[in-house]
Amino acid sequence: MSSLPAASRARLLLAYTACFVLWGSTWAVVKVGLQDLPPLRFAGARMLLAGLVLLPFSGLRRSRPDARTTWMLMGVGVLQIALPYGLLFIAQQWIPSSWSALLFSTYAVWLLLVGRLLLPDQPLTPLKLVSAGLGLAGILALQYEHLRGLSLSGLVVAGCVLSLLATFSISVANVLVRRSLAHVPTSLSVCVQTLSSSVLLLAASLAFESHLPGHWTPRAVLAIVYLAVGATALTYQLLFWLLSRVPLAVIGAMPLLDTLVAVLLGVVMLGEHVDASLLLGGALILSGAALANLSPSPPNPPEDPSPRAPGARSAPTA
Protein backbone atom coordinates (compact mmCIF):
# COMPACT_ATOMS: atom_id res chain seq x y z
CA MET A 1 0.00 0.00 0.00
CA SER A 2 2.99 2.30 0.59
CA SER A 3 3.78 2.20 -3.15
CA LEU A 4 0.42 3.73 -4.06
CA PRO A 5 0.10 7.39 -5.04
CA ALA A 6 -0.66 9.78 -2.21
CA ALA A 7 -4.23 10.37 -3.46
CA SER A 8 -4.95 6.62 -3.53
CA ARG A 9 -3.53 6.15 -0.04
CA ALA A 10 -5.69 9.03 1.18
CA ARG A 11 -8.83 7.42 -0.28
CA LEU A 12 -7.97 4.09 1.33
CA LEU A 13 -7.33 5.75 4.68
CA LEU A 14 -10.56 7.74 4.45
CA ALA A 15 -12.63 4.66 3.58
CA TYR A 16 -10.99 2.58 6.30
CA THR A 17 -11.46 5.28 8.94
CA ALA A 18 -15.08 5.82 7.92
CA CYS A 19 -15.79 2.11 8.40
CA PHE A 20 -14.50 1.75 11.93
CA VAL A 21 -15.78 5.15 13.09
CA LEU A 22 -19.28 4.51 11.70
CA TRP A 23 -19.39 0.98 13.11
CA GLY A 24 -18.00 2.12 16.44
CA SER A 25 -20.64 4.83 16.72
CA THR A 26 -23.55 2.41 16.33
CA TRP A 27 -23.56 1.40 20.00
CA ALA A 28 -24.09 4.96 21.25
CA VAL A 29 -26.69 5.68 18.55
CA VAL A 30 -28.63 2.53 19.49
CA LYS A 31 -28.61 3.65 23.12
CA VAL A 32 -30.03 7.03 22.09
CA GLY A 33 -32.72 5.53 19.85
CA LEU A 34 -33.91 3.20 22.60
CA GLN A 35 -35.08 6.25 24.54
CA ASP A 36 -37.94 6.60 22.04
CA LEU A 37 -38.59 3.17 20.51
CA PRO A 38 -38.95 -0.39 21.86
CA PRO A 39 -35.91 -2.53 20.95
CA LEU A 40 -37.49 -4.96 18.45
CA ARG A 41 -39.38 -2.20 16.65
CA PHE A 42 -36.21 -0.12 16.50
CA ALA A 43 -34.09 -3.02 15.19
CA GLY A 44 -36.73 -4.08 12.66
CA ALA A 45 -37.13 -0.59 11.22
CA ARG A 46 -33.35 -0.20 10.98
CA MET A 47 -32.96 -3.50 9.10
CA LEU A 48 -35.90 -2.83 6.77
CA LEU A 49 -34.48 0.51 5.67
CA ALA A 50 -30.96 -0.94 5.38
CA GLY A 51 -32.22 -3.80 3.21
CA LEU A 52 -34.09 -1.43 0.92
CA VAL A 53 -31.01 0.77 0.55
CA LEU A 54 -28.83 -2.27 -0.20
CA LEU A 55 -31.30 -3.70 -2.72
CA PRO A 56 -29.94 -1.81 -5.78
CA PHE A 57 -26.44 -3.12 -5.02
CA SER A 58 -27.46 -6.74 -4.39
CA GLY A 59 -27.33 -7.98 -7.99
CA LEU A 60 -30.83 -9.46 -7.76
CA ARG A 61 -31.70 -8.09 -11.19
CA ARG A 62 -28.76 -9.88 -12.78
CA SER A 63 -29.05 -13.24 -11.03
CA ARG A 64 -31.54 -14.57 -8.55
CA PRO A 65 -30.66 -17.41 -6.15
CA ASP A 66 -32.62 -20.63 -6.41
CA ALA A 67 -35.27 -21.48 -3.83
CA ARG A 68 -32.95 -23.68 -1.75
CA THR A 69 -30.26 -21.01 -1.53
CA THR A 70 -32.83 -18.34 -0.70
CA TRP A 71 -34.23 -20.40 2.18
CA MET A 72 -30.71 -21.10 3.44
CA LEU A 73 -29.89 -17.40 3.35
CA MET A 74 -33.06 -16.57 5.25
CA GLY A 75 -32.31 -19.28 7.80
CA VAL A 76 -28.78 -18.05 8.37
CA GLY A 77 -30.20 -14.53 8.54
CA VAL A 78 -32.12 -15.55 11.65
CA LEU A 79 -28.83 -16.45 13.36
CA GLN A 80 -26.88 -13.58 11.87
CA ILE A 81 -29.31 -10.66 12.08
CA ALA A 82 -32.82 -11.28 13.45
CA LEU A 83 -31.91 -13.11 16.66
CA PRO A 84 -28.65 -11.32 17.58
CA TYR A 85 -29.84 -7.82 16.73
CA GLY A 86 -33.03 -8.36 18.69
CA LEU A 87 -30.99 -9.57 21.66
CA LEU A 88 -28.43 -6.76 21.39
CA PHE A 89 -31.04 -4.02 21.20
CA ILE A 90 -32.89 -5.51 24.19
CA ALA A 91 -29.63 -5.85 26.15
CA GLN A 92 -28.65 -2.24 25.62
CA GLN A 93 -31.65 -1.15 27.66
CA TRP A 94 -29.88 -2.51 30.74
CA ILE A 95 -26.13 -2.19 30.25
CA PRO A 96 -23.85 0.65 29.06
CA SER A 97 -23.10 0.86 25.35
CA SER A 98 -19.38 0.44 26.12
CA TRP A 99 -20.12 -2.89 27.79
CA SER A 100 -22.15 -4.04 24.79
CA ALA A 101 -19.34 -3.16 22.41
CA LEU A 102 -16.70 -4.91 24.50
CA LEU A 103 -18.81 -8.04 24.99
CA PHE A 104 -19.50 -8.10 21.26
CA SER A 105 -15.77 -7.94 20.55
CA THR A 106 -15.48 -11.47 22.00
CA TYR A 107 -16.90 -12.45 18.59
CA ALA A 108 -13.41 -13.23 17.27
CA VAL A 109 -12.88 -15.72 20.11
CA TRP A 110 -16.29 -17.37 19.68
CA LEU A 111 -15.58 -17.70 15.97
CA LEU A 112 -12.47 -19.75 16.69
CA LEU A 113 -14.30 -22.07 19.08
CA VAL A 114 -17.37 -22.53 16.87
CA GLY A 115 -15.12 -23.08 13.85
CA ARG A 116 -13.39 -25.89 15.71
CA LEU A 117 -16.73 -27.60 16.36
CA LEU A 118 -18.28 -27.16 12.89
CA LEU A 119 -15.22 -27.14 10.61
CA PRO A 120 -13.00 -30.21 11.11
CA ASP A 121 -9.99 -28.53 9.48
CA GLN A 122 -9.82 -25.83 12.17
CA PRO A 123 -7.76 -27.21 15.12
CA LEU A 124 -7.58 -25.52 18.50
CA THR A 125 -4.02 -24.24 18.84
CA PRO A 126 -2.44 -22.94 22.07
CA LEU A 127 -2.78 -19.41 20.68
CA LYS A 128 -6.52 -19.90 20.17
CA LEU A 129 -6.93 -21.24 23.70
CA VAL A 130 -5.05 -18.28 25.14
CA SER A 131 -7.26 -15.87 23.20
CA ALA A 132 -10.38 -17.61 24.53
CA GLY A 133 -9.01 -17.46 28.08
CA LEU A 134 -8.29 -13.74 27.78
CA GLY A 135 -11.81 -13.13 26.51
CA LEU A 136 -13.33 -14.99 29.47
CA ALA A 137 -11.06 -13.21 31.95
CA GLY A 138 -12.08 -9.89 30.41
CA ILE A 139 -15.79 -10.65 30.84
CA LEU A 140 -15.23 -11.44 34.52
CA ALA A 141 -13.06 -8.37 35.05
CA LEU A 142 -15.67 -6.17 33.37
CA GLN A 143 -18.16 -7.08 36.08
CA TYR A 144 -15.70 -7.15 38.99
CA GLU A 145 -16.91 -3.93 40.63
CA HIS A 146 -20.53 -5.13 40.58
CA LEU A 147 -19.62 -8.58 41.88
CA ARG A 148 -17.46 -7.16 44.67
CA GLY A 149 -20.26 -4.89 45.86
CA LEU A 150 -22.95 -7.52 45.26
CA SER A 151 -24.76 -4.91 43.16
CA LEU A 152 -25.02 -6.97 40.00
CA SER A 153 -28.74 -6.67 39.26
CA GLY A 154 -30.73 -9.24 37.37
CA LEU A 155 -31.17 -6.89 34.42
CA VAL A 156 -27.43 -6.24 34.19
CA VAL A 157 -26.75 -9.98 34.19
CA ALA A 158 -29.47 -10.48 31.57
CA GLY A 159 -28.00 -7.73 29.40
CA CYS A 160 -24.54 -9.30 29.52
CA VAL A 161 -25.88 -12.80 28.83
CA LEU A 162 -28.02 -11.61 25.91
CA SER A 163 -25.04 -9.75 24.43
CA LEU A 164 -22.89 -12.88 24.61
CA LEU A 165 -25.67 -15.04 23.16
CA ALA A 166 -26.01 -12.59 20.27
CA THR A 167 -22.28 -12.68 19.64
CA PHE A 168 -22.25 -16.48 19.75
CA SER A 169 -25.20 -16.62 17.32
CA ILE A 170 -23.38 -14.42 14.82
CA SER A 171 -20.24 -16.56 15.04
CA VAL A 172 -22.29 -19.70 14.32
CA ALA A 173 -23.94 -17.97 11.35
CA ASN A 174 -20.61 -16.91 9.88
CA VAL A 175 -19.19 -20.42 10.09
CA LEU A 176 -22.35 -21.80 8.44
CA VAL A 177 -22.01 -19.23 5.66
CA ARG A 178 -18.42 -20.31 5.09
CA ARG A 179 -19.41 -23.97 5.03
CA SER A 180 -22.56 -23.81 2.91
CA LEU A 181 -23.05 -20.39 1.33
CA ALA A 182 -19.60 -19.23 0.30
CA HIS A 183 -20.69 -19.30 -3.35
CA VAL A 184 -23.28 -16.53 -2.81
CA PRO A 185 -22.08 -12.97 -3.54
CA THR A 186 -21.69 -11.06 -0.29
CA SER A 187 -23.86 -8.11 -1.33
CA LEU A 188 -26.70 -10.44 -2.27
CA SER A 189 -26.32 -12.43 0.95
CA VAL A 190 -26.42 -9.33 3.14
CA CYS A 191 -29.45 -7.89 1.34
CA VAL A 192 -31.56 -11.08 1.56
CA GLN A 193 -30.66 -11.66 5.19
CA THR A 194 -31.34 -8.05 6.16
CA LEU A 195 -34.73 -7.81 4.47
CA SER A 196 -35.97 -11.22 5.67
CA SER A 197 -34.77 -10.51 9.22
CA SER A 198 -36.52 -7.15 9.27
CA VAL A 199 -39.83 -8.97 8.70
CA LEU A 200 -39.15 -11.30 11.64
CA LEU A 201 -38.09 -8.46 13.93
CA LEU A 202 -41.15 -6.36 13.10
CA ALA A 203 -43.42 -9.39 13.53
CA ALA A 204 -41.85 -10.07 16.93
CA SER A 205 -42.36 -6.42 17.85
CA LEU A 206 -46.05 -6.67 16.89
CA ALA A 207 -46.42 -9.79 19.03
CA PHE A 208 -44.48 -8.69 22.12
CA GLU A 209 -44.30 -4.90 22.03
CA SER A 210 -47.76 -3.82 20.90
CA HIS A 211 -48.47 -2.58 24.43
CA LEU A 212 -45.28 -0.50 24.56
CA PRO A 213 -45.32 3.13 23.44
CA GLY A 214 -43.16 4.17 20.53
CA HIS A 215 -42.35 7.78 19.85
CA TRP A 216 -41.27 8.51 16.27
CA THR A 217 -39.41 11.61 17.27
CA PRO A 218 -36.87 13.31 14.98
CA ARG A 219 -34.20 11.78 17.22
CA ALA A 220 -35.55 8.25 16.67
CA VAL A 221 -35.90 8.73 12.90
CA LEU A 222 -32.40 10.14 12.61
CA ALA A 223 -31.04 7.20 14.62
CA ILE A 224 -32.70 4.70 12.26
CA VAL A 225 -31.51 6.53 9.14
CA TYR A 226 -27.98 6.83 10.50
CA LEU A 227 -27.78 3.15 11.45
CA ALA A 228 -29.38 1.89 8.23
CA VAL A 229 -27.74 4.15 5.67
CA GLY A 230 -24.48 5.24 7.27
CA ALA A 231 -23.58 2.31 9.52
CA THR A 232 -24.93 -0.49 7.30
CA ALA A 233 -25.34 0.28 3.60
CA LEU A 234 -22.46 2.74 3.24
CA THR A 235 -20.02 0.80 5.39
CA TYR A 236 -20.73 -2.46 3.55
CA GLN A 237 -20.00 -0.81 0.21
CA LEU A 238 -16.80 0.74 1.57
CA LEU A 239 -15.74 -2.60 3.01
CA PHE A 240 -16.32 -4.42 -0.29
CA TRP A 241 -14.16 -1.78 -1.98
CA LEU A 242 -11.41 -2.12 0.64
CA LEU A 243 -11.27 -5.91 0.63
CA SER A 244 -9.52 -6.08 -2.72
CA ARG A 245 -7.13 -3.22 -1.93
CA VAL A 246 -5.72 -3.73 1.58
CA PRO A 247 -4.29 -6.77 3.40
CA LEU A 248 -6.77 -8.90 5.34
CA ALA A 249 -4.69 -8.37 8.48
CA VAL A 250 -5.53 -4.67 8.22
CA ILE A 251 -9.23 -5.48 7.83
CA GLY A 252 -8.99 -7.87 10.76
CA ALA A 253 -7.90 -5.04 13.05
CA MET A 254 -11.07 -3.07 12.32
CA PRO A 255 -13.22 -4.65 15.07
CA LEU A 256 -10.65 -3.60 17.66
CA LEU A 257 -10.66 -0.02 16.40
CA ASP A 258 -14.43 0.30 16.26
CA THR A 259 -14.70 -1.12 19.79
CA LEU A 260 -12.31 1.59 20.96
CA VAL A 261 -14.51 4.20 19.22
CA ALA A 262 -17.61 2.71 20.89
CA VAL A 263 -16.10 2.92 24.37
CA LEU A 264 -14.89 6.49 23.84
CA LEU A 265 -18.28 7.65 22.51
CA GLY A 266 -20.05 5.95 25.41
CA VAL A 267 -17.99 8.02 27.80
CA VAL A 268 -18.11 11.31 25.86
CA MET A 269 -21.68 11.24 24.47
CA LEU A 270 -23.54 9.26 27.12
CA GLY A 271 -21.49 10.02 30.21
CA GLU A 272 -20.84 6.34 30.92
CA HIS A 273 -18.60 5.68 33.89
CA VAL A 274 -14.98 4.65 33.42
CA ASP A 275 -13.53 2.53 36.21
CA ALA A 276 -10.72 0.04 36.68
CA SER A 277 -12.94 -2.92 35.79
CA LEU A 278 -13.87 -1.33 32.44
CA LEU A 279 -10.24 -0.59 31.60
CA LEU A 280 -8.94 -4.01 32.70
CA GLY A 281 -11.84 -5.98 31.21
CA GLY A 282 -11.64 -4.04 27.97
CA ALA A 283 -7.89 -4.58 27.70
CA LEU A 284 -8.25 -8.35 28.27
CA ILE A 285 -11.14 -8.73 25.82
CA LEU A 286 -9.43 -6.70 23.11
CA SER A 287 -6.18 -8.62 23.66
CA GLY A 288 -8.06 -11.88 23.21
CA ALA A 289 -9.70 -10.57 20.04
CA ALA A 290 -6.33 -9.38 18.73
CA LEU A 291 -4.78 -12.81 19.32
CA ALA A 292 -7.74 -14.43 17.58
CA ASN A 293 -7.17 -12.18 14.56
CA LEU A 294 -3.45 -13.05 14.58
CA SER A 295 -4.16 -16.78 14.69
CA PRO A 296 -2.68 -18.47 11.58
CA SER A 297 -5.76 -20.52 10.77
CA PRO A 298 -8.96 -18.79 11.83
CA PRO A 299 -12.24 -19.91 10.27
CA ASN A 300 -12.59 -16.84 8.09
CA PRO A 301 -16.15 -16.15 7.04
CA PRO A 302 -16.86 -14.86 3.57
CA GLU A 303 -15.53 -11.47 2.64
CA ASP A 304 -18.19 -9.56 4.46
CA PRO A 305 -18.70 -7.55 7.58
CA SER A 306 -21.97 -9.27 8.05
CA PRO A 307 -23.36 -8.21 11.12
CA ARG A 308 -19.40 -7.15 13.06
CA ALA A 309 -20.77 -7.27 9.47
CA PRO A 310 -20.34 -6.77 12.42
CA GLY A 311 -13.73 -12.33 9.80
CA ALA A 312 -12.30 -9.46 8.07
CA ARG A 313 -15.29 -7.74 9.46
CA SER A 314 -17.49 -10.74 9.40
CA ALA A 315 -20.29 -9.50 11.54
CA PRO A 316 -22.02 -6.12 11.60
CA THR A 317 -22.05 -4.33 14.85
CA ALA A 318 -25.15 -3.21 16.64
Side-chain angles (χ1 to χ4, degrees), residues 17-191:
T17 303
C19 280
F20 75 75
V21 170
L22 287 169
W23 269 321
S25 66
T26 59
W27 304 97
V29 175
V30 167
K31 196 76 172 177
V32 170
L34 287 171
Q35 298 177 40
D36 297 310
L37 294 173
L40 297 178
R41 198 176 309 167
F42 185 16
R46 180 256 180 103
M47 289 304 165
L48 177 60
L49 179 57
L52 293 175
V53 173
L54 285 166
L55 193 58
F57 307 99
S58 66
L60 273 174
R61 292 183 178 180
R62 296 189 299 273
S63 61
R64 296 187 179 183
D66 57 42
R68 180 175 180 274
T69 300
T70 300
W71 280 109
M72 289 178 66
L73 285 171
M74 293 170 64
V76 170
V78 173
L79 293 175
Q80 180 132 291
I81 296 178
L83 177 62
Y85 273 71
L87 295 178
L88 285 169
F89 277 51
I90 291 171
Q92 277 202 256
Q93 298 176 108
W94 307 321
I95 60 176
S97 65
S98 55
W99 283 39
S100 296
L102 286 168
L103 290 170
F104 187 83
S105 69
T106 61
Y107 159 81
V109 177
W110 290 116
L111 190 63
L112 294 177
L113 300 178
V114 172
R116 175 63 184 89
L117 293 175
L118 300 182
L119 297 174
D121 62 338
Q122 302 295 328
L124 277 179
T125 65
L127 185 60
K128 294 178 182 180
L129 293 174
V130 170
S131 72
L134 285 172
L136 178 60
I139 293 169
L140 295 175
L142 194 63
Q143 302 185 45
Y144 172 73
E145 293 295 332
H146 291 274
L147 291 170
R148 187 179 65 173
L150 298 179
S151 60
L152 196 64
S153 70
L155 290 180
V156 171
V157 172
C160 293
V161 171
L162 292 182
S163 296
L164 290 173
L165 285 175
T167 309
F168 177 75
S169 178
I170 290 174
S171 68
V172 172
N174 275 265
V175 173
L176 291 176
V177 168
R178 172 186 169 89
R179 190 175 69 176
S180 304
L181 292 168
H183 63 286
V184 180
T186 304
S187 54
L188 174 61
S189 176
V190 172
C191 182

Side-chain angles (χ1 to χ4, degrees), residues 240-263:
F240 300 154
W241 183 77
L242 284 167
L243 279 169
S244 61
R245 292 170 172 82
V246 300
L248 284 180
V250 176
I251 299 292
M254 203 179 288
L256 307 180
L257 293 171
D258 69 49
T259 301
L260 176 61
V261 170
V263 173

